[in-house]
Amino acid sequence: MGLANLVPGISGGTMLLATGVYPRFVAAIAELTTLRFRRHSLLLLGVVAGTAALVILLLAGATRTLVMEQRWIMYSLFVGLTLGGVPIVWRLARPATTALWAGALAGLVAMAAMTGIAPQQGGGGDSSSAMLFVGGLAGAAAMILPGVSGGYLLLLLGQYLPILAGIDALKRGLEPLASGEAPDAVLLRAGLAVAIPVGIGVGAGVVGVSNAVRFALVRFPKPTLGVLLGLLVGAVIGLWPFQHAVPPAQDNPHPQALAAATDPEDWPLERFRPSPAQAGGALVLIGLGFAMTAAIARVGGDDRS
């Protein structure tokens, strides 16, 4: 789930579904929010949340660098990982009904609309505390909802790279502790300025979304699963691999645009025509990503009810 939450397009909830943990995970969160503290539920949440947090802390910096420097490669892999979740949600949703297809269409339209109104930037944007809080809510939704990618929602909100940068700063600020030295106060402040509002958003989102999704899946299972399926397929729309960040013109008279020219996170994205080698490589990477998600689903076995 930690790896999935770093990747735009693939959902942490889908990974939990693939490994057969999802029903118990949602039930455990719902129990916790009603102040029921069972040992088994606490152990499950501790293991899942702890390992996910560790992976995010260790790999956020590397993921940010790869997205910024090898965007078409990473986006191709993200598309495959995303599409690999479709069979997982489909197996949970079948047999198909009119309500399922209606929900899928609504989810697809909603994701397409979000992609259309999102700013075409490299994943960076206004990183105020309020926006970071909203980013935390998006991350919480991805932890709970199969088919909804927190990384992708963060990309649309312009919070993807700022959050990865904040997490990486927190990690680097703590690194001196390993050698018995004092932590780097500047890096710690920068990291905590991101981690605190994001963490509050995640906590609030987990409480609200977990109970809402449990209610929706019990009362309206087919439309709910249809929406999740549509969101999953629609996520691919915004992950077109062949685009790169373009620095603003140096002679731009607007101070804000000139300031953005120094920060690649804020550069606008522009599509380009791929070479035959890039097109072929993208297909291979999409297939690899699909196979990776399918392999995780096989590890999970059939306990997905």
Side-chain angles (χ1 to χ4, degrees):
M1 186 176 76
L3 285 170
N5 283 325
L6 285 174
V7 175
I10 189 67
S11 163
T14 299
M15 292 296 99
L16 292 177
L17 190 64
T19 52
V21 179
Y22 184 74
R24 286 173 287 161
F25 181 76
V26 172
I29 292 178
E31 285 183 2
L32 195 63
T33 60
T34 56
L35 302 181
R36 294 173 59 196
F37 304 104
R38 292 199 306 161
R39 180 181 175 185
H40 177 75
S41 297
L42 292 173
L43 180 62
L44 173 66
L45 292 176
V47 171
V48 172
T51 51
L54 181 63
V55 168
I56 290 172
L57 183 65
L58 294 177
L59 297 182
T63 303
R64 173 178 175 268
T65 300
L66 286 170
V67 168
M68 291 177 63
E69 298 181 359
Q70 304 292 339
R71 192 176 300 272
W72 78 265
I73 292 176
M74 296 301 289
Y75 274 27
S76 298
L77 189 61
F78 294 167
V79 168
L81 289 166
T82 301
L83 293 177
V86 172
I88 298 170
V89 180
W90 175 254
R91 283 196 295 271
L92 190 68
R94 65 186 183 187
T97 64
T98 302
L100 177 72
W101 290 122
L105 180 60
L108 181 61
V109 170
M111 188 59 77
M114 282 194 292
T115 304
I117 64 176
Q120 292 299 302
Q121 54 193 21
D126 171 28
S127 54
S128 65
S129 295
M131 286 303 299
L132 290 170
F133 173 80
V134 173
L137 290 175
M143 292 180 193
I144 305 301
L145 299 175
V148 179
S149 163
Y152 183 72
L153 293 179
L154 292 178
L155 205 62
L156 294 181
L157 293 168
Q159 301 305 301
Y160 181 64
L161 293 178
I163 288 178
L164 291 188
I167 295 171
D168 188 49
L170 188 62
K171 184 194 78 170
R172 290 187 289 115
L174 294 171
E175 283 175 350
L177 292 174
S179 55
E181 300 176 7
D184 188 314
V186 174
L187 288 174
L188 277 182
R189 281 196 297 270
L192 290 174
V194 173
I196 290 175
V198 170
I200 295 173
V202 168
V206 164
V207 171
V209 175
S210 62
N211 286 281
V213 73
R214 196 179 190 195
F215 173 82
L217 285 172
V218 171
R219 296 291 299 272
F220 313 104
K222 289 296 183 180
T224 302
L225 289 169
V227 169
L228 297 179
L229 189 62
L231 292 172
L232 184 61
V233 174
V236 176
I237 299 172
L239 291 173
W240 177 252
F242 306 116
Q243 50 186 329
H244 53 199
V246 180
Q250 295 296 322
D251 58 353
N252 194 310
H254 300 289
Q256 187 175 7
L258 288 176
T262 63
D263 191 350
E265 292 184 6
D266 297 329
W267 292 355
L269 297 180
E270 182 179 272
R271 295 193 176 194
F272 65 90
R273 183 184 298 276
S275 67
Q278 287 174 324
L283 290 175
V284 171
L285 288 167
I286 290 171
L288 176 62
F290 187 96
M292 289 170 65
T293 303
I296 292 173
R298 289 183 64 85
V299 171
D302 295 323
D303 182 21
R304 302 188 191 95
S305 59

